Amino acid sequence: MIRRFASDLSVFTLGSFLAVVSQGVGSGAVQWWLFAVGVLTIAAGAYGAYDTARGGAHRSVDALTGVLGVWAIVASFAWSGSTLLDLALWTGIAYAIVGAAGLVIHELRTERVVHALEVSAPAAHREETLVR
């Protein structure tokens, strides 16, 4: 369960970071940040996909993370200038959306398990309330 949360949170954080960096530095630096984030998110997606207990929705998030990682690596060397800055911004936003979707899916699955548990009073306490 921690592996799912860690991979989704890292994708969200890296995407948010990329979106901010793309607006704050020049295109030369953004090129390398986009490349690095692409490599790191491919690793995060592979790390999350390594967990065999993930459901279909989480597998889709991992696959989309991998596709975005490949896109980021290709885009970092295929474009330059203001086009690269715009692509880095939108790629960062896409990463943040995918990471947030993964976190929501994780939370919904965790909450479903927690709500499925039944809380009951100890047997001694139940007998006391019946006697009174």
Side-chain angles (χ1 to χ4, degrees), residues 14-105:
L14 287 169
S16 301
F17 174 77
L18 182 62
V20 171
V21 164
S22 70
Q23 299 303 300
V25 298
S27 63
V30 168
Q31 176 183 12
W32 291 106
W33 279 114
L34 186 60
F35 177 77
V37 168
V39 170
L40 290 172
T41 53
I42 287 174
Y47 180 72
Y50 180 70
D51 188 4
T52 57
R54 292 178 88 125
H58 265 106
R59 294 232 183 246
S60 300
V61 168
D62 293 333
L64 192 53
T65 299
V67 168
L68 278 173
V70 171
W71 159 255
I73 291 170
V74 169
S76 68
F77 292 109
W79 285 280
S80 63
S82 64
T83 305
L84 179 64
L85 295 176
D86 291 340
L87 287 175
L89 172 66
W90 289 108
T91 303
I93 291 170
Y95 275 132
I97 290 170
V98 168
L103 289 170
V104 167
I105 292 168

